Amino acid sequence: MKERIEWLKGLTYIPQKEIAWLIEQAELAEKQRAIIEENKRQQEVTVHQFQQAQEEIQRLTKENEELILKVEAQEEEIRDLEFENSNLEDEIEELEDKVEALEGAAE
């Protein structure tokens, strides 16, 4: 192709057949340029989507870590409440025993 272009540059008269070839090459070059531009545009869109996905992953990771901490805190609170409940059940049992003892003594 390069040789043909150089040969054409040397001509003073360009035959119709060669003009048609030049037009065909120009059209092909324009199609290739359009394809390259579309590929660049799609690449930019893909990069932007990838960046958004990374940001979303970071946001979700942080949110997940916060939720894990909340769950752990709630689990600790539940353990504390269960322990407190166990102590209260023991106290209730002791009070019931005392009530029974007092009722027995009152009879």
Side-chain angles (χ1 to χ4, degrees):
M1 180 166 164
K2 198 172 193 179
E3 293 170 1
R4 191 167 184 182
I5 291 171
E6 291 302 318
W7 174 74
L8 285 170
K9 286 180 182 177
L11 296 177
T12 54
Y13 166 76
I14 301 176
Q16 188 66 32
K17 178 179 140 187
E18 299 302 328
I19 290 176
W21 180 82
L22 284 172
I23 291 170
E24 186 179 299
Q25 293 303 309
E27 289 171 345
L28 180 61
E30 177 59 25
K31 287 179 185 176
Q32 288 174 337
R33 186 195 59 73
I35 289 170
I36 289 169
E37 284 181 10
E38 178 60 19
N39 285 344
K40 283 181 181 178
R41 189 193 67 75
Q42 288 178 1
Q43 185 178 25
E44 289 171 358
V45 167
T46 301
V47 166
H48 181 69
Q49 288 174 336
F50 180 76
Q51 289 170 341
Q52 285 181 322
Q54 280 183 319
E55 290 170 4
E56 183 69 6
I57 288 169
Q58 288 172 350
R59 186 188 68 75
L60 290 172
T61 300
K62 183 178 179 184
E63 185 178 313
N64 189 45
E65 289 169 355
E66 290 170 357
L67 289 172
I68 287 171
L69 291 174
K70 285 181 182 178
V71 167
E72 289 172 351
Q74 288 176 346
E75 287 173 343
E76 187 175 336
E77 188 176 332
I78 287 170
R79 282 191 299 274
D80 291 346
L81 289 171
E82 286 174 342
F83 180 73
E84 188 177 323
N85 186 45
S86 174
N87 288 340
L88 290 173
E89 286 175 350
D90 290 344
E91 284 183 38
I92 290 171
E93 198 173 303
E94 287 176 20
L95 290 172
E96 286 174 345
D97 290 344
K98 287 180 182 179
V99 166
E100 285 179 18
L102 288 173
E103 286 175 347
E107 290 177 359

